[in-house]
Amino acid sequence: VAKDAGRNRYSIFDFETHVSRIEQGRILEQAAKALDEGQFEMYLQPKIVLANHRVEGFEALIRWNHPEKGLLGPISFLPQVEHTEYAAEVGRFVIADAVAKLQHWKQLGLPYSLSINLSPTHLLSDRFVADLQAALQGCDPDVRSSLIIELLETTALNDSGRIMGILLKCRNLGVQVSLDDFGTGYSSLDHFRRLPAQEIKIDRSFVSDMLTNADDEMIVKSIISLSKNFKRRVVAEGIETQAMQDKLIDMGCEQAQGFFYSKPLPADAALAWAETYQQR
Ligand code: C2E
Ligand code: MG
Ligand code: MG
Ligand code: MG
């Protein structure tokens, strides 16, 4: 693209690349320190069972309590970390944090599951299964089965033989697998049926527009029926209104997640929210 635009485009492109490299270097340096100093924190967003309005569990979403910039969301630093050694370091932190939370919850008698997001760099690396196994060392089966690993549908398409092997090993370790942002990739139905995932998450873009766009509604409906026919649990993300929730209940969707229920919250606040929500 830069080439087609001619010589000027070239130099602008190079300049931007140069600046973003410096910025990336700075973020990586800070991220390494942030891991050591405990500046990362997992915020939790509840997943609601639509049939009975119980909280099935939570999705853990990373936040960076940056000393100067304040609270940062993943979009502002994970892309710079991806494809570097820190992708796996962040991943190991996320896994360890989730296992610790689940063990704590089981001691308290809380039945919640916990979903985590992992970077493709880490998930597809040789270390990943060993990292997961190490983190789960000595954990009870109910802690293991309450841990849900989310991978993007687009990651699942990467190298299907390799990803299939990794996911099967995850399943053998007793954890669950979920396909995140489903509908945005190009999965064939054959690939879909062979992927060892227990859960499908419908991408927010379809859910957001399903009340105003008949095509999006049809896509949501189709993903729900595809998931059910293949005995996968189906979760809709990005529910912002009562009307969206009611539509999903009509369409037979099993679980929902979104600002309509709760934004991602610090762990204690999320647990308190769940208790109140289930007592209504
Ligand atoms: P995701 O896994 O699809 O997570 C859902 C994102 O949608 C979250 O953004 C969440 O805050 C947001 N969201 C939830 N409900 C609503 C809603 O009703 N409306 C709207 N507009 N947004 C909603 P967040 O926390 O900024 O995370 C963005 C993405 O970053 C995640 O998308 C996930 O792919 C990635 N991510 C988050 N945490 C981690 C992590 O610990 N590790 C890795 N590798 N990726 C992460
Ligand atoms: Mg996710
Ligand atoms: Mg998602
Ligand atoms: Mg997403």
Side-chain angles (χ1 to χ4, degrees), residues 28 81-90 92 121:
L28 287 179
V81 170
E82 190 64 16
H83 301 300
T84 76
E85 63 197 290
Y86 296 112
E89 295 213 19
V90 171
R92 283 188 284 275
T121 304

Side-chain angles (χ1 to χ4, degrees), residues 9-174:
R9 240 349 249 148
Y10 253 131
S11 54
I12 292 167
F13 183 77
D14 286 345
F15 175 72
E16 283 171 355
T17 307
H18 180 67
V19 169
S20 75
R21 286 243 171 81
I22 293 174
E23 177 64 10
Q24 180 181 33
R26 202 176 289 138
I27 290 189
L28 287 179
E29 208 175 283
Q30 294 179 348
K33 208 166 150 235
L35 275 169
D36 289 342
E37 297 185 355
Q39 293 170 8
F40 290 118
E41 181 177 359
M42 303 312 291
Y43 273 44
L44 306 185
Q45 187 181 38
K47 286 169 70 189
I48 310 297
V49 178
L50 289 171
N52 56 13
H53 293 277
R54 303 298 297 173
V55 176
E56 199 274 339
F58 301 89
E59 177 174 3
L61 296 153
I62 199 164
R63 299 291 181 264
W64 182 353
N65 294 302
H66 195 285
E68 288 120 41
K69 297 181 188 165
L71 191 66
L72 299 181
I75 306 300
S76 59
F77 63 93
L78 283 187
Q80 285 90 331
V81 170
E82 190 64 16
H83 301 300
T84 76
E85 63 197 290
Y86 296 112
E89 295 213 19
V90 171
R92 283 188 284 275
F93 164 77
V94 169
I95 295 169
D97 184 89
V99 170
K101 282 190 168 70
L102 281 169
Q103 279 178 315
H104 183 220
W105 294 351
K106 299 301 159 190
Q107 280 165 5
L108 298 175
L110 298 171
Y112 304 127
S113 67
L114 189 53
S115 301
I116 56 174
N117 297 278
L118 294 160
S119 94
T121 304
H122 187 206
L123 198 82
L124 292 165
S125 75
D126 292 332
R127 287 276 312 264
F128 178 71
V129 173
D131 284 345
L132 186 62
Q133 187 166 21
L136 289 167
Q137 198 73 46
C139 284
D140 290 346
D142 63 334
V143 167
R144 291 166 183 256
S145 64
S146 299
L147 181 64
I148 306 176
I149 292 187
E150 294 193 1
L151 80 155
L152 298 170
E153 184 199 11
T154 47
T155 306
L157 290 167
N158 252 297
D159 172 346
S160 68
R162 183 167 172 74
I163 201 78
M164 227 48 105
I166 292 169
L167 296 184
L168 284 172
K169 284 177 192 154
C170 291
R171 295 280 306 267
N172 287 338
L173 288 172

Side-chain angles (χ1 to χ4, degrees), residues 59 61 117 150 152 179-182 201-204 237 257:
E59 177 174 3
L61 296 153
N117 297 278
E150 294 193 1
L152 298 170
L179 265 191
D180 201 0
D181 296 359
F182 190 81
K201 294 184 90 168
I202 309 170
D203 191 66
R204 178 153 60 84
E237 49 179 34
Q257 202 183 326

Side-chain angles (χ1 to χ4, degrees), residues 214-243:
D215 286 346
D216 286 299
E217 178 187 345
M218 213 43 77
I219 289 173
V220 172
K221 245 185 209 168
S222 303
I223 297 175
I224 292 170
S225 79
L226 183 68
S227 303
K228 287 184 147 182
N229 289 338
F230 282 93
K231 309 267 183 293
R232 307 307 205 258
R233 188 165 70 235
V234 61
V235 182
E237 49 179 34
I239 285 67
E240 295 186 347
T241 63
Q242 169 98 43

